[in-house]
Amino acid sequence: MAPFVPKRLEPVAFGLFLTFFMTFIITGISTVLVASVDAPGFAALWFRAWMSSWAVAFPAVLVVAPFVRRILRVIVRPA
């Protein structure tokens, strides 16, 4: 597959994929802890939790990331 995302959109694409995978993993673990894997409707319960979490996490990362970058510029020592 040839690259198709413009360089200027790389931070948005990064946030999209990061939140996609992180919310998938975290909601999966949380759902297993609340309702066992063999519970009826487990997949639907997990999917609902994942989509609602992702809907919050993606915009949150886009808003918070610039602040985190500024903090890191202050606390990380140059190589």
Side-chain angles (χ1 to χ4, degrees):
M1 174 188 309
F4 60 92
V5 176
K7 183 71 174 166
R8 66 184 172 79
L9 294 179
E10 184 178 2
V12 175
F14 178 83
L16 181 78
F17 286 107
L18 176 69
T19 58
F20 178 91
F21 290 111
M22 289 301 297
T23 56
F24 179 81
I25 293 165
I26 299 304
T27 57
I29 293 168
S30 297
T31 307
V32 166
L33 293 174
V34 172
S36 65
V37 178
D38 58 349
F42 173 80
L45 184 63
W46 182 5
F47 185 77
R48 190 170 45 245
W50 178 32
M51 288 296 107
S52 58
S53 296
W54 193 22
V56 173
F58 178 54
V61 160
L62 296 180
V63 170
V64 172
F67 297 111
V68 172
R69 284 189 197 98
R70 274 189 237 140
I71 292 167
L72 291 176
R73 271 183 264 159
V74 171
I75 67 169
V76 173
R77 190 175 16 189

